[in-house]
Amino acid sequence: MNCEVVKDLLPNYIEKLTSSKTNEILEQHFKECPSCARERDELLSEVHADTIPDMLDMKKYLSKTKQMYLLKGIFSAILGVGLITSLIVDIAINHKLTWSFIVAIAIAYVGAGLLTAQLSSSSKMVKVIAVLSVLLIPLLYGIEYIVNSNYAARPFNWFFSYELPIAIIWLVILWVVIIIRHTARLSIWNFIGITLLLASAGSLLNNSVALKMSIWKVLTIRYNWINAVIYIACAFCCFLIGYIRKNKEMK
């Protein structure tokens, strides 16, 4: 068998597609022809180099997947045990279900986020935040309803007065931050600076709702304007760091 034929058969030989008889002939040729033997060794080393990383990657993937499922199982077990325990204790003490409903809806809230992460193949964090944002307001209303039904001598009316507007304020700020992060090409320092400014505005609006005062009156309270100054100062520092780093990169 000449070298040209051997070289044509080498790929099949490496892939173990040749017959045993052909293998014997090829191996005999390799003993007699150093050039073909060297080419065979080179091909084998390339295949070996390609295969080992793939196997290592697969092992890492399987190990990571196993750990992920283990963590999910542990977390689910903790939530389940917490729910069952709260139901048992609630019934034992109150002879009916009262505060355990709060535990149940809180667990359902967390579970919805976990389920969303599990079912999502891309943009998991955004989808999880979207689901939790939608469910936050029903969660708050449910907690107030349970408290009013079981504990309050006089029903609270906090949901529409405080909880809903404050939740909307922070949800809007959260989604503005997410949109900025995904659309604007900002450095991490500029992004943090903008986030701090939005948080400062959110804090003022939050206190305005909580105290039933205008923002200008809120600013007259010492700790509020100090808080705002700290936010703005930190944001300025972030912008300054971003500017300095950008200039260094340009040089």
Side-chain angles (χ1 to χ4, degrees):
M1 185 178 290
N2 61 44
C3 292
E4 292 299 323
V5 175
V6 170
K7 289 178 181 178
D8 287 340
L9 290 172
L10 262 179
N12 289 337
Y13 173 79
I14 298 298
E15 296 291 334
K16 298 182 179 180
L17 299 175
T18 50
S19 65
S20 57
K21 183 66 176 176
T22 304
N23 289 343
E24 290 176 7
I25 297 171
L26 288 171
E27 286 163 7
Q28 182 62 37
H29 180 82
F30 294 142
K31 291 177 183 178
E32 299 170 356
C33 179
S35 175
C36 289
R38 187 166 52 252
E39 190 164 343
R40 174 204 60 187
D41 293 340
E42 288 175 359
L43 283 173
L44 283 171
S45 64
E46 289 176 6
V47 171
H48 187 65
D50 290 339
T51 304
I52 289 179
D54 289 342
M55 292 175 65
L56 291 174
D57 290 342
M58 181 59 71
K59 286 181 179 179
K60 287 180 181 178
Y61 173 76
L62 291 174
S63 176
K64 189 175 180 180
T65 304
K66 186 177 179 181
Q67 290 176 3
M68 189 183 300
Y69 278 111
L70 180 62
L71 288 173
K72 287 178 181 177
I74 292 172
F75 197 71
S76 299
I78 291 171
L79 292 178
V81 170
L83 176 60
I84 293 170
T85 303
S86 64
L87 292 172
I88 293 172
V89 172
D90 194 13
I91 292 173
I93 295 174
N94 299 307
H95 305 293
K96 63 177 182 177
L97 297 176
T98 55
W99 56 266
S100 58
F101 279 121
I102 297 177
V103 177
I105 61 176
I107 289 175
Y109 183 73
V110 174
L114 292 174
L115 183 62
T116 303
Q118 176 70 25
L119 297 177
S120 302
S121 57
S122 61
S123 303
K124 286 188 178 184
M125 185 58 69
V126 174
K127 290 177 182 177
V128 169
I129 293 173
V131 169
L132 296 181
S133 298
V134 171
L135 295 178
L136 177 62
I137 292 174
L139 172 70
L140 295 174
Y141 182 79
I143 291 172
E144 181 179 293
Y145 178 80
I146 293 166
V147 171
N148 284 337
S149 300
N150 295 283
Y151 298 105
R154 187 177 65 183
F156 297 107
N157 189 25
W158 289 355
F159 180 75
F160 292 104
S161 301
Y162 300 101
E163 293 172 348
L164 182 61
I166 289 173
I168 290 173
I169 288 168
W170 288 109
L171 285 175
V172 168
I173 290 173
L174 173 64
W175 280 102
V176 169
V177 169
I178 291 172
I179 291 169
I180 290 173
R181 186 75 181 97
H182 283 78
T183 57
R185 292 185 175 182
L186 297 174
S187 68
I188 186 64
W189 291 105
N190 288 337
F191 173 70
I192 294 172
I194 291 174
T195 303
L196 287 170
L197 291 178
L198 289 170
S200 175
S203 178
L204 290 174
L205 291 169
N206 185 105
N207 291 335
S208 175
V209 172
L211 299 173
K212 297 291 184 182
M213 298 168 61
S214 68
I215 292 178
W216 304 114
K217 286 186 177 180
V218 167
L219 282 171
T220 61
I221 301 173
R222 186 176 180 182
Y223 72 84
N224 283 322
W225 66 259
I226 290 176
N227 191 36
V229 168
I230 291 172
Y231 271 116
I232 293 170
C234 290
F236 176 78
C237 290
C238 289
F239 291 137
L240 183 61
I241 293 170
Y243 177 76
I244 293 170
R245 289 176 66 89
K246 185 178 180 181
N247 283 345
K248 283 185 177 180
E249 290 173 1
M250 290 177 67
K251 290 178 181 179

